[in-house]
Amino acid sequence: MVQKLMVVEQVLSANDRVAENNRQYFDRHAVFAINILASPGAGKTSLIEKTVQLLAARLRIAVIDGDIATSLDADRAAAAGASAVQINTGGECHLDAPMIAGALPQSVLSASVPEGDDKPYKYPGTYRGVNALVINKIDLLPYVTFNMDYFRQGVEILNPGLVTFPLSCRTDEGLDSWIHWLLQATLQFQEQSR
Amino acid sequence: MVQKLMVVEQVLSANDRVAENNRQYFDRHAVFAINILASPGAGKTSLIEKTVQLLAARLRIAVIDGDIATSLDADRAAAAGASAVQINTGGECHLDAPMIAGALPQSVLSASVPEGDDKPYKYPGTYRGVNALVINKIDLLPYVTFNMDYFRQGVEILNPGLVTFPLSCRTDEGLDSWIHWLLQATLQFQEQSR
C-alpha cells in the first residue's frame, strides 16, 4: 500500500512540473488558452471551425487536438485558418490532462441538445469545473425531447451564474454572443499580460 | 519502476479473477449478458428502456448501470420492467471493465446519428471490438449532416459483416429487427447452456 502511494506521488509531481512549465510558457507569450471539452459528437470540432473562421482576421489562433486516431479534426481546424496540431494518443481519447489542460486558465464545456437535458445531473463534476458552457445543436430542439429549463436548473445548482451560450454551428444562431465573449476574454487576458 | 510494474500486475490478476468468477456465474445460471456501450447521450438508456418494454413478457431482464452520479438511468430501466442495479462510481463514468464487461460474451455499441458519421474513423478500437452495432436516433437524419454510406463504409473496414441496427427509440422505427436479433441470440445461448 505504501509503495502504491509512492508511485502515485511521483507521477503527480512530474505532471505538475510539466503543467507549470506550460502555464509559464503561455503566460510569457500572452497566449490566452482555453480547454474545450465535450462528449464525442457534441460538436467540439464544428465549434472550433466556426470560431476560427469568425476570429481568424482578428486573432492568431492555434488548435491542439487530442484524439485516438486520424487527423480529421485538426485538418478541419487548419482548413478554417488556425495553426493546428493533432496528437494521436493511440488509446485514450483525451490529452493528458496535466500536460495540456492543467496549463490552461479557462475550461469551456460544449454540451449538445441531442445528448439530453439530464447531463448536468449525471456529470456534476464536469459542469462544476468549467468557466463557460456552450449548448450546441439548438437547431435540433424541435426534434428531440430536451427541456431547456430543466437543463439550466441543473447547471445553475452546480455552477451558479455560469456564462452560457446556446448556439448552432449548423445555422450559426447564437454564435455571435460566443464569439463576442471569447474575443473580450482574450483581449482582457492580453491586456493583463502586458 | 519495478515496484510500479508489480502494482499493475497485482491489480490485473485480481481483476482477471473477478471477471472469471462473474463469467462462471453467468454461465451457471444460463444468463445471456450483453455489454452496451456508447457516448454520453447516444441513447443507451432509451434503448434499454424500449428493449425491456418489448421483451419483458418473454424474458426476465436485469440491468446493471454504471454512472458517476444519480440513479436516473436505473430508475428508467426499472420503470420499464427490469430488475435494475445502479452503481455510482463517484468519478469514472464506466463500470470497472474487467469486473463486469470482461465477464460478458457480447458487446453492443450504440452510435447515434447526431454524433456524426466520422465516428468509426475516429474510434476504430471501439468499432472493432463489438458484436453488434445500433445506429440510434435515425429520426434525426433529415436534420443533421450524416452520410450513412460513409459511416457504414468505416464500420465495414473495421468490423466486416458486423450486424447493424439503424433505429429510433423515439419513433420506434427499426426496433423490431433489434428485438428479434436479441431474442434469438438469447434463446440460442440458453439452448447451448443446457
Side-chain angles (χ1 to χ4, degrees):
Chain A
M1 185 53 91
V2 171
Q3 288 172 2
K4 205 168 160 186
L5 283 171
M6 279 171 62
V7 171
V8 172
E9 172 85 356
Q10 284 166 18
V11 171
L12 278 181
S13 52
N15 280 339
D16 283 349
R17 265 198 310 279
V18 176
E20 186 52 36
N21 285 347
N22 283 342
R23 201 176 291 117
Q24 286 176 9
Y25 180 89
F26 288 138
D27 285 349
R28 204 160 51 234
H29 295 82
V31 173
F32 181 65
I34 57 170
N35 177 33
I36 300 185
L37 59 151
S39 303
K44 282 178 296 301
T45 305
S46 301
L47 180 69
I48 290 168
E49 211 170 22
K50 285 283 179 183
T51 302
V52 170
Q53 281 166 9
L54 292 167
L55 284 176
R58 306 196 52 175
L59 301 172
R60 208 146 52 103
I61 305 173
V63 175
I64 304 174
D65 206 306
D67 233 318
I68 296 170
T70 80
S71 63
L72 290 174
D73 290 353
D75 295 347
R76 286 172 62 187
S83 307
V85 181
Q86 181 89 31
I87 301 177
N88 286 141
T89 59
E92 297 295 322
C93 60
H94 53 80
L95 292 170
D96 200 344
M99 290 192 201
I100 312 287
L104 308 187
Q106 295 278 333
S107 232
V108 175
L109 176 64
S110 173
S112 75
V113 162
E115 289 173 59
D117 54 20
D118 58 350
K119 292 300 164 287
Y121 303 90
K122 295 188 59 187
Y123 305 101
T126 307
Y127 282 79
R128 258 192 222 108
V130 295
N131 306 100
L133 173 66
V134 167
I135 308 172
N136 205 343
K137 308 195 189 186
I138 55 167
D139 57 299
L140 294 178
L141 279 171
Y143 313 113
V144 299
T145 311
F146 187 97
N147 184 328
M148 187 62 89
D149 289 340
Y150 177 68
F151 178 87
R152 281 179 176 278
Q153 208 175 323
V155 174
E156 186 61 27
I157 292 164
L158 297 166
N159 199 330
L162 181 67
V163 58
T164 302
F165 304 100
L167 57 82
S168 164
C169 291
R170 196 160 183 253
T171 65
D172 290 357
E173 189 186 343
L175 268 173
D176 48 352
S177 302
W178 157 250
I179 294 295
H180 180 79
W181 177 83
L182 190 56
L183 184 60
Q184 291 310 313
T186 308
L187 297 178
Q188 198 181 335
F189 174 82
Q190 292 183 332
E191 189 70 31
Q192 284 163 1
S193 304
R194 260 181 216 164
Chain B
M1 185 52 90
V2 171
Q3 289 173 2
K4 203 170 163 187
L5 284 172
M6 279 172 58
V7 172
V8 172
E9 171 86 357
Q10 285 167 18
V11 171
L12 279 182
S13 52
N15 280 340
D16 283 350
R17 265 199 309 279
V18 176
E20 185 52 35
N21 284 348
N22 283 343
R23 202 176 290 118
Q24 286 176 8
Y25 180 88
F26 287 137
D27 285 349
R28 206 162 48 235
H29 295 82
V31 173
F32 181 65
I34 57 171
N35 177 32
I36 300 186
L37 59 151
S39 302
K44 284 178 296 301
T45 304
S46 301
L47 181 67
I48 290 169
E49 212 170 23
K50 284 284 179 181
T51 304
V52 170
Q53 280 166 8
L54 292 167
L55 284 177
R58 306 198 50 177
L59 301 172
R60 207 144 54 102
I61 305 172
V63 176
I64 304 173
D65 206 307
D67 234 318
I68 296 171
T70 78
S71 64
L72 290 174
D73 290 352
D75 295 347
R76 286 172 61 187
S83 307
V85 180
Q86 180 88 32
I87 300 177
N88 286 142
T89 59
E92 299 294 322
C93 61
H94 54 80
L95 292 171
D96 199 343
M99 290 193 200
I100 311 287
L104 308 187
Q106 296 277 334
S107 232
V108 175
L109 176 65
S110 173
S112 75
V113 162
E115 287 172 61
D117 53 19
D118 59 349
K119 292 301 163 287
Y121 303 90
K122 295 189 59 186
Y123 305 101
T126 307
Y127 281 80
R128 260 191 219 108
V130 295
N131 306 100
L133 172 66
V134 166
I135 308 171
N136 205 343
K137 309 195 188 185
I138 56 166
D139 56 300
L140 293 177
L141 279 170
Y143 313 113
V144 299
T145 311
F146 187 97
N147 183 329
M148 187 61 88
D149 288 340
Y150 178 68
F151 178 87
R152 280 179 177 278
Q153 209 175 322
V155 174
E156 186 60 27
I157 292 164
L158 297 166
N159 198 330
L162 181 67
V163 59
T164 301
F165 304 99
L167 55 83
S168 164
C169 291
R170 196 161 182 254
T171 65
D172 291 358
E173 190 186 342
L175 267 174
D176 47 352
S177 302
W178 157 249
I179 294 294
H180 180 79
W181 177 82
L182 189 57
L183 185 59
Q184 291 309 311
T186 308
L187 297 178
Q188 198 181 334
F189 174 83
Q190 294 185 327
E191 189 70 31
Q192 285 163 1
S193 303
R194 258 182 216 162

